[in-house]
Amino acid sequence: MTADNIQSLQQEGRTFEPPAAGRDTAYIKSLDEYRAIYKRSIEDPEGYWAERATDLLTWESPWDKVLEYDFNAPEIKWFAGGKLNAAYNCLDRHLTNGRRNKAAIIWQGEKDEDVRTYTYQMLHDEVCRFANVLKKMGVKKGDRVSLYLPMVPELVIAMLACARIGAPHSIVFAGFSAHSLRDRVNDCESKVIVVSDAVIRSGKTIPLKPNADEALKECPTIDKCIVLRHAGNDVEMQPGRDVWWHDVMADHDVEGDCPAESMDAEDVLFILYTSGSTGKPKGVYHTTGGYLTYAAHTSQIVFDLKDDDIHWCTADIGWITGHSYIVYGPLALGATSLMFESVPTYPAPDRFWQICSKFKVNVFYTAPTVIRSLMKSGPAWTQKHDLSSLRILGSVGEPINPEAWMWYHDHIGGSKLPIVDTWWQTETGGLMISPLPYATPLKPGSASLPLPGIDPAIVDMENKEVGPNQGGFLVIRKPWPGMLRGIWGAKDRFKQQYFAAFKGCYESGDGARRDEDGYFWIMGRVDDVINVSGHRMGTAEIESALVSHPTVAEAAVVGMPHDIKGQCIYAYVTLKAGYDESEELLKGLKLHVRKEIGPIAAPEVIQFAPGLPKTRSGKIMRRILRKIASDEVESLGDTSTLADPSVVNELIDGKKRLF
Ligand code: 6R9
């Protein structure tokens, strides 16, 4: 890890006061109120979180202790001994509190006419039915179930059915390849997988089942594969293993209630794989009581969800954002959550705004990459639609550049809506640093202030807090209920990754600075993780995909700035002797990475490199590779420790000859 890429580049002086309209009914109404709540939450975390968990969730029986933790072990327990069920909290309790016939999920498919609405009652009934299906297949509390589905309501039904019977779900984003799926299924040893025939995207049907078939050839723990008919394309079914969703759901003996399993607060709710700086993706896992409390709490205070609001988070449920802010947070609160299957630009770049206007969306939460790509299409597309129902705008996934922030503010927010720029991670379970929509003055590009209970600091390599406006490592000094409890099957890695470098702290892997008003400015990853369109990619994963190609001797991957995606993938590849550089091979290598990991990991640029800049101990100096990729060769820095400094010039020359 190095500090050389923590730069404080953003200079932004504008401030926007929170709007007055909406303030009276807001959960937190002013900066003073926030400060008082924050102070209390830090001084008395156990009292604060006990109150929040009681107010927000329905518990079968109370916990023994609010918090027990030791970051050195590491071990973190919230509400241990307390019993509850996440599906019960997201569904059943709303059947008797006046929300039974309220829309829980509104699904918009790719075609405008493809809309399905599930009331809380309907969703409850479907979840019970599918939970009974899983039980009948022999899935028991603690067994894992993999879900490899596009953005369809059945994904939510399957998640909550797993939660209902206490089987941790592991959702694999439908854009991942067969190999990625295989590794994720095997790592957590799932018993059952749910997949669909295809994904529908930009007018095309992209078969998905064949990926599962390829993966399952090497997944010995899978007993059953449940196949959802979605696009209607032909699918091969393997007798004995594969069953249709509609067949198993039609069975008489799965009708009726499925009692919600009594879960300990610290029982695992789900596993979600994410990229790290080394090795294979890690199965981050979250537990029931703390995660759900935190998802509901942050949905309430940041998205200010009210009973008649329509909340639209545009993320895919395959990522943590969809888990927490399409499913668990909004449904725990009894809100209406809109989910959309397709892309923002199909059939035209106004699709998002058309949907906002069609459903009168109130809270809209998306990623900077989406804003930047829609910005390019021009403001005329936004003007075609009535966006007056919008109340709060949100941003997540990467730093939002002030230009995109201003566009979002002016063209979508009518120059008056609050933008909550929410910094958080798969590991944190929920939002960590974010404005409160009716309390926090906004600075474009800053995630602003820590949420209650969150104690972040910016430190140097020696774990000493740095001064205002100095870049450093972003760490969190106290536990919070939504934090990960571990990496599936990898206790050592859990410690190494998050609790080793900065003693007594959780290490985020991000660099940041804090300004004189205490506002946080996130500068991006300081480890070998690239953020492409808000998706985390480990350079090590892409490198190992590249070197698994028969022609490749060595590969080094870095991030390069990209106008729309934020960062894109730039790969340096050294070929084995006897292979020639060619455009054909280059295409083949890109295809190979798509197949190994998925389309999101395909390098934007591949440069053939006769040699890589290495230190005498053989460590690749990525800093140099990053500078070359970004055309910043005048600031290469010290190259004297390189074993062979001449490779640098070769690479600079090579870049000019790129295919
Ligand atoms: C929720 C999510 C986490 C990484 C994180 C950081 C970047 C997320 C951000 C942001 C600046 C924000 N990130 N939100 N950077 N401002 N508002 O995205 O989780 O996929 O695990 O990615 O994304 O670098 O470390 P995840």
Side-chain angles (χ1 to χ4, degrees):
M1 187 167 18
T2 57
D4 61 42
N5 53 342
I6 308 179
Q7 291 167 349
S8 194
L9 291 177
Q10 265 171 345
Q11 294 300 328
E12 175 56 53
R14 287 170 285 199
T15 307
F16 296 84
E17 287 304 313
R23 187 177 281 201
D24 291 350
T25 55
Y27 284 100
I28 299 181
K29 297 180 177 56
S30 67
L31 198 58
D32 285 345
E33 190 183 353
Y34 155 74
R35 291 204 195 281
I37 294 173
Y38 184 79
K39 184 164 181 285
R40 194 266 160 130
S41 72
I42 296 295
E43 288 169 0
D44 173 24
E46 297 196 28
Y48 178 75
W49 288 115
E51 260 171 46
R52 290 273 62 201
T54 310
D55 285 355
L56 290 162
L57 302 184
T58 304
W59 296 77
E60 264 165 66
S61 57
W63 47 83
D64 303 324
K65 199 159 177 2
V66 179
L67 169 66
E68 274 173 280
Y69 84 105
D70 173 1
F71 275 178
N72 292 319
E75 188 152 40
I76 303 116
K77 286 186 184 162
W78 282 95
F79 314 118
K83 302 276 186 241
L84 79 167
N85 181 284
Y88 178 92
N89 272 278
C90 290
L91 299 168
D92 303 50
R93 62 182 182 145
H94 302 309
L95 305 183
T96 51
N97 66 8
R99 298 193 177 106
R100 184 166 87 88
N101 296 323
K102 173 181 175 176
I105 294 282
I106 300 176
W107 173 77
Q108 171 70 66
E110 181 160 276
K111 290 202 196 95
D112 192 46
E113 62 271 26
D114 282 349
V115 175
R116 276 195 264 160
T117 302
Y118 288 81
T119 63
Y120 274 95
Q121 180 76 61
M122 289 158 78
L123 191 60
H124 168 271
D125 294 357
E126 291 291 297
V127 166
C128 282
R129 213 174 239 274
F130 196 65
N132 282 328
V133 166
L134 293 174
K135 274 207 320 213
K136 207 177 145 190
M137 284 180 179
V139 179
K140 290 189 283 301
K141 179 173 174 176
D143 289 341
R144 277 79 59 206
V145 174
S146 290
L147 308 176
Y148 187 51
L149 290 166
M151 285 287 285
V152 288
E154 287 82 358
L155 176 52
V156 180
I157 293 167
M159 289 167 86
L160 294 174
C162 288
R164 195 166 192 89
I165 61 172
H169 55 72
S170 164
I171 303 184
V172 180
F173 173 57
F176 277 124
S177 68
H179 287 177
S180 297
L181 174 64
R182 177 199 61 196
D183 293 349
R184 286 160 171 76
V185 168
N186 288 339
D187 187 74
C188 68
E189 301 173 297
S190 296
K191 208 167 179 171
V192 168
I193 181 167
V194 188
V195 59
S196 71
D197 51 6
V199 172
I200 298 171
R201 227 175 157 76
S202 308
K204 291 197 269 303
T205 294
I206 306 158
L208 191 65
K209 175 69 170 31
N211 286 6
D213 289 335
E214 195 187 330
L216 295 187
K217 281 185 204 151
E218 296 174 292
C219 295
T221 58
I222 293 283
D223 290 338
K224 290 276 176 226
C225 172
I226 303 173
V227 187
L228 177 74
R229 181 172 287 152
H230 175 51
N233 52 315
D234 283 342
V235 160
E236 259 182 49
M237 298 289 276
Q238 180 173 309
R241 185 195 69 190
D242 300 352
V243 291
W244 285 106
W245 172 289
H246 55 263
D247 284 343
V248 289
M249 287 289 267
D251 230 326
H252 275 307
D253 42 348
V254 298
E255 263 171 34
D257 189 36
C258 168
E261 192 73 45
S262 174
M263 304 296 285
D264 192 278
E266 280 301 335
D267 281 337
V268 177
L269 177 61
F270 66 83
I271 305 166
L272 182 59
Y273 287 84
T274 188
S275 296
S277 47
T278 52
K280 289 190 306 179
K282 18 181 207 193
V284 163
Y285 64 84
H286 286 281
T287 57
T288 310
Y291 170 81
L292 200 62
T293 300
Y294 200 67
H297 159 79
T298 47
S299 297
Q300 187 183 65
I301 65 168
V302 177
F303 297 122
D304 198 53
L305 286 185
K306 298 289 160 49
D307 244 79
D308 55 357
D309 276 340
I310 303 250
H311 174 74
W312 184 19
C313 163
T314 71
D316 192 291
I317 295 176
W319 310 110
I320 190 67
T321 307
H323 280 62
S324 301
Y325 300 108
I326 296 179
V327 184
Y328 287 112
L331 297 187
L333 293 181
T336 298
S337 184
L338 177 71
M339 66 187 280
F340 173 49
E341 183 182 5
S342 184
V343 297
T345 45
Y346 182 85
D350 62 341
R351 190 69 201 274
F352 272 13
W353 321 129
Q354 179 252 340
I355 294 173
C356 282
S357 145
K358 176 174 174 178
F359 295 100
K360 306 282 173 287
V361 169
N362 306 102
V363 180
F364 177 75
Y365 188 32
T366 197
T369 182
V370 169
I371 304 296
R372 287 193 298 265
S373 83
L374 297 179
M375 237 167 108
K376 270 210 152 167
S377 323
W381 291 104
T382 67
Q383 288 152 8
K384 283 177 66 178
H385 301 283
D386 174 11
L387 299 176
S388 60
S389 60
L390 291 173
R391 196 160 73 76
I392 295 173
L393 305 177
S395 171
V396 61
E398 52 175 314
I400 180 163
N401 47 308
E403 195 195 352
W405 196 100
M406 286 309 301
W407 189 88
Y408 199 19
H409 187 249
D410 290 343
H411 295 283
I412 309 305
S415 305
K416 57 180 196 292
L417 299 186
I419 298 180
V420 291
D421 174 0
T422 60
W423 175 83
W424 61 295
Q425 309 176 295
T426 304
E427 293 87 341
T428 70
L431 320 175
M432 299 289 282
I433 301 180
S434 168
L436 297 171
Y438 300 103
T440 315
L442 303 171
K443 301 189 187 188
S446 168
S448 80
L449 301 169
L451 293 179
I454 306 305
D455 185 18
I458 297 171
V459 297
D460 63 16
M461 301 272 243
E462 274 74 53
N463 202 5
K464 287 212 186 65
E465 228 177 320
V466 301
N469 288 316
Q470 274 185 295
F473 301 95
L474 176 60
V475 299
I476 315 287
R477 296 180 287 202
K478 293 263 163 39
W480 63 100
M483 76 185 296
L484 80 166
R485 300 297 194 269
I487 299 178
W488 193 261
K491 184 137 183 146
D492 275 357
R493 197 169 171 202
F494 178 48
K495 180 171 179 159
Q496 270 320 108
Q497 187 87 45
Y498 304 107
F499 302 100
F502 303 99
K503 218 171 165 38
C505 298
Y506 163 84
E507 175 189 358
S508 71
D510 277 329
R513 76 179 161 94
R514 197 169 192 182
D515 71 16
E516 50 291 338
D517 299 323
Y519 276 49
F520 284 84
W521 298 77
I522 311 293
M523 258 90 73
R525 304 289 306 192
V526 288
D527 52 10
D528 293 324
V529 170
I530 309 179
N531 191 327
V532 184
S533 301
H535 297 149
R536 264 164 80 167
M537 297 301 320
T539 51
E541 283 167 70
I542 307 168
E543 287 163 6
S544 87
L546 282 166
V547 295
S548 73
H549 192 273
T551 64
V552 176
E554 202 171 22
V557 166
V558 296
M560 172 174 95
H562 185 281
D563 276 357
I564 292 181
K565 299 177 182 174
Q567 275 189 306
C568 67
I569 299 165
Y570 194 111
Y572 295 86
V573 166
T574 308
L575 295 177
K576 287 182 186 156
Y579 291 101
D580 291 329
E581 300 172 1
S582 71
E583 201 165 346
E584 188 103 37
L585 177 56
L586 209 139
K587 282 197 194 126
L589 291 174
K590 287 188 184 173
L591 211 69
H592 180 71
V593 178
R594 287 174 79 94
K595 193 162 155 38
E596 284 294 309
I597 308 177
I600 48 169
E604 186 96 2
V605 182
I606 295 183
Q607 176 175 347
F608 291 116
L612 294 171
K614 289 184 190 166
T615 59
R616 281 181 205 100
S617 59
K619 201 172 173 310
I620 295 174
M621 285 182 81
R622 283 163 202 284
R623 170 176 58 86
I624 292 178
L625 294 175
R626 270 194 295 267
K627 296 273 182 193
I628 296 174
S630 319
D631 286 324
E632 291 173 12
V633 287
E634 61 295 334
S635 59
L636 272 184
D638 182 18
T639 56
S640 61
T641 56
L642 286 176
D644 176 9
S646 72
V647 295
V648 174
N649 284 334
E650 277 174 32
L651 290 177
I652 295 172
D653 287 348
K655 186 166 187 228
K656 297 182 193 134
R657 297 192 305 270
L658 277 181
F659 284 108

